[in-house]
Amino acid sequence: MLFRKEYYCLVAGLKEYTLDSDRKGFDAPALIAEIKEDLSRRDRRTVELLYTYYDIENLIGLRAGREHFSRLGNLSREELQEELLAPSRLPASLGRVIAAFNAADKEGAGADVGEDADMEQSFERNLFAAYYAECARSSSQFLRRWSAFDRTLRNVAAAFAARRRGIPVAEVVVGTGDIESALARSSAADFGIKGEVAYVDQVMQAVSDAGNLVEKENRMDAIRWNMAEELTLTNYFDLDFILGYLVRVNIIHRWTALDPQRGREMLHRLVEGLTERGTRCEMQTDKNKETDI
């Protein structure tokens, strides 16, 4: 097992970080930057891999000519524009996907890109497939488990939405595996995965509420929030706890734009969770002292 660095002072200060953000106006990028400064170089790279997801969203937007740009990514608009021409800062597997699509754009659809990309799939699906594969190799148990959950959640939601719109599900699923295969092939109402994916009913309800996109997103983010908490129940001062905290910060960041009131409610919930975590830590510390005696 790799040595895990414990961040006692950083984790103990997360409540103060969050409360300070509430007073000054919630600024997720600034909060993330402060936390990264206190991490080791290796752990900082793991956090950056978590946020590479937003770099990918930004790359896709830039390539499509869209104006929206997420501030949660690691790289600026200018840096990502450079990456689209000659990738060097992104994980190597993502860079190879970009290079493959650049070659295809230059040489035509029949260009030989080797195994760097599946040209029968979109630029977006190739990038996300490479990203999730990178996360699956991470030394962080949280990032491995979170990315697997996140991919499945997004695939399940996309599959239900595609079915409603009459689009072949196989065209929207990212990655390969038993669940992805079931989504692409099954005609069952729940795609035959209800026994494997506990939140299928919640996703079905969210996606079916097509008339209220805000409520749909609220339901989906509730699934994400609960999973981030569940995956860190036994973590207290390590990087995995910090990653779970940052996932919830990301959710709050989105809701401060979508619905400021709900964003504030989520922020207060995060503070309450940190308070409860601190109490449990103190109780565990006292119990350990008694055992030592």
Side-chain angles (χ1 to χ4, degrees):
M1 180 182 294
L2 293 172
F3 173 75
R4 293 191 307 175
K5 183 176 176 62
E6 302 288 340
Y7 294 98
Y8 298 101
C9 294
L10 175 57
V11 172
L14 289 180
K15 181 180 176 181
E16 283 67 32
Y17 275 133
T18 310
L19 286 171
D20 191 48
S21 294
D22 191 20
R23 287 191 293 268
K24 295 180 179 179
F26 190 74
D27 187 344
L31 179 59
I32 296 161
E34 284 190 67
I35 290 172
K36 285 168 62 176
E37 287 181 2
D38 288 335
L39 300 178
S40 69
R41 180 179 299 178
R42 176 172 168 271
D43 288 347
R44 193 179 305 121
R45 286 198 298 268
T46 301
V47 170
E48 288 171 351
L49 181 56
L50 174 69
Y51 285 98
T52 296
Y53 184 93
Y54 299 97
D55 286 326
I56 293 172
E57 286 191 330
N58 286 335
L59 279 170
I60 294 166
L62 287 173
R63 198 169 192 269
R66 294 193 289 267
E67 288 298 319
H68 175 74
F69 191 88
S70 173
R71 296 173 59 224
L72 293 182
N74 300 300
L75 302 177
S76 67
R77 185 187 296 270
E78 292 72 23
E79 289 170 330
L80 285 177
Q81 286 171 335
E82 293 174 2
E83 290 296 290
L84 282 173
L85 297 175
S88 61
R89 298 180 179 90
L90 291 166
S93 59
L94 274 68
R96 289 193 293 271
V97 169
I98 294 171
F101 273 81
N102 285 347
D105 288 343
K106 182 178 180 180
E107 300 173 25
D112 181 11
V113 297
E115 298 180 356
D116 293 332
D118 180 354
M119 303 310 292
E120 294 184 359
Q121 297 188 7
S122 66
F123 180 66
E124 177 178 351
R125 289 175 70 196
N126 272 277
L127 279 181
F128 279 121
Y131 171 73
Y132 286 122
E134 285 284 342
C135 291
R137 294 189 289 270
S138 173
S139 60
S140 163
Q141 182 185 61
F142 176 88
L143 188 54
R144 294 194 304 272
R145 295 174 68 187
W146 171 262
S147 63
F149 154 77
D150 185 65
R151 185 185 71 174
T152 299
L153 177 64
R154 293 178 188 278
N155 278 340
V156 171
F160 279 116
R163 176 181 280 177
R164 285 175 58 86
R165 296 165 58 193
I167 298 172
V169 173
E171 293 182 5
V172 300
V173 172
V174 173
T176 58
D178 292 341
I179 292 176
E180 288 73 27
S181 178
L183 291 173
R185 298 177 182 178
S186 177
S187 59
D190 63 355
F191 291 98
I193 61 172
K194 195 169 184 176
E196 300 294 327
V197 181
Y199 46 82
V200 166
D201 287 342
Q202 293 169 270
V203 175
M204 287 178 67
Q205 292 172 3
V207 174
S208 64
D209 192 6
N212 192 336
L213 293 179
V214 172
E215 185 57 34
K216 170 193 169 183
E217 293 302 318
N218 185 50
R219 290 179 179 181
M220 296 295 290
D221 277 344
I223 299 172
R224 294 186 176 96
W225 186 288
N226 291 336
M227 181 58 71
E229 289 186 329
E230 181 180 326
L231 292 179
T232 55
L233 282 176
T234 59
N235 300 93
Y236 289 96
F237 299 105
D238 60 4
L239 176 65
D240 282 355
F241 176 76
I242 294 169
L243 288 166
Y245 169 85
L246 288 173
V247 164
R248 285 169 283 170
V249 165
N250 301 342
I251 294 172
I252 295 169
H253 172 77
R254 197 157 75 97
W255 280 95
T256 54
L258 286 175
D259 185 334
Q261 178 58 36
R262 290 194 187 186
R264 285 190 292 272
E265 291 171 359
M266 289 180 176
L267 186 60
H268 295 156
R269 180 180 172 186
L270 182 58
V271 172
E272 289 173 1
L274 292 171
T275 301
E276 292 173 4
R277 177 61 63 98
T279 300
R280 289 201 300 271
C281 287
E282 291 174 3
M283 291 174 63
Q284 185 63 46
T285 300
D286 292 340
K287 185 177 180 180
N288 291 341
K289 289 180 179 177
E290 292 174 3
T291 302
D292 292 340
I293 293 173

